[in-house]
Amino acid sequence: MSSVTFQGNPVAVSGQLPAVGQAAPDFTLTGADLSDIKLADFQGRKVLLNIFPSIDTGVCATSVRKFNEKAAALSNTQVLCVSMDLPFAGSRFCAAEGIDNVQIASAFRHVDFLTRYGVALSDGALRGLSARAVVCIDEQGKVRHVERVAELTNEPDYEAALQALK
């Protein structure tokens, strides 16, 4: 079992991050309209998974804003912003912020996503939510970049993720 920190305190993380070069683990998430979103839905496209604990925190909201801004310049790429929040919360946030270059996806019905992608917080105050991570997947479904942010209150490395998709 690995760990990250939350405000400097260690938090155990269950599951294993996918390795660069391997096929991305299959997943099902829930969309804003409560429909299933599957990795297979994006076959032939690049996918950036922006995974975070909750849209209701400053750093998580910032990551959605920044990936929304930066994703506009990426061709053939879908950004999925994934948390355990209900899809309605993400949709409200995006509507209020004028965010339209990313897609909200919830793992609330699909907690296996958290362990498949190595982001399940298994203890501490945020137990049951996800660690902050970015996973980039190419058009063939191979993982091209992975970052699990060591401190939950820090932002991901946006540029490294974007470079992996160019």
Side-chain angles (χ1 to χ4, degrees):
M1 188 170 297
S2 56
S3 68
V4 294
T5 58
F6 176 53
Q7 299 175 332
N9 298 306
V11 179
V13 180
S14 298
Q16 187 163 343
L17 286 167
V20 171
Q22 82 172 48
D26 196 20
F27 63 76
T28 301
L29 297 165
T30 302
D33 62 355
L34 300 178
S35 66
D36 285 347
I37 298 171
K38 299 176 183 255
L39 178 59
D41 297 340
F42 305 101
Q43 188 171 9
R45 297 185 71 200
K46 296 178 256 186
V47 177
L48 185 151
L49 298 174
N50 175 30
I51 306 165
F52 51 86
S54 175
I55 195 69
D56 290 322
T57 68
V59 176
C60 300
T62 296
S63 73
V64 173
R65 285 184 199 105
K66 285 191 178 178
F67 277 125
N68 178 67
E69 174 188 322
K70 294 172 183 300
L74 299 174
S75 65
N76 195 36
T77 302
Q78 180 63 56
V79 177
L80 292 180
C81 294
V82 183
S83 70
M84 288 294 285
D85 293 317
L86 292 175
F88 315 117
S91 293
R92 271 193 311 272
F93 173 81
C94 289
E97 297 275 331
I99 291 173
D100 56 8
N101 293 320
V102 302
Q103 183 176 351
I104 294 297
S106 175
F108 87 105
R109 286 190 200 148
H110 310 283
V111 295
D112 62 320
F113 172 86
L114 301 182
T115 50
R116 280 185 165 184
Y117 276 80
V119 296
L121 297 177
S122 36
D123 67 11
L126 300 179
R127 178 179 63 250
L129 298 180
S130 64
R132 184 176 319 286
V134 177
V135 178
C136 297
I137 305 166
D138 69 15
E139 299 94 323
Q140 290 76 43
K142 300 280 186 203
V143 175
R144 292 295 166 219
H145 170 80
V146 176
E147 176 193 14
R148 184 172 52 210
V149 180
E151 166 58 50
L152 288 175
T153 60
N154 291 341
E155 293 178 55
D157 184 342
Y158 301 104
E159 293 309 314
L162 296 169
Q163 279 300 112
L165 293 171
K166 289 185 179 179

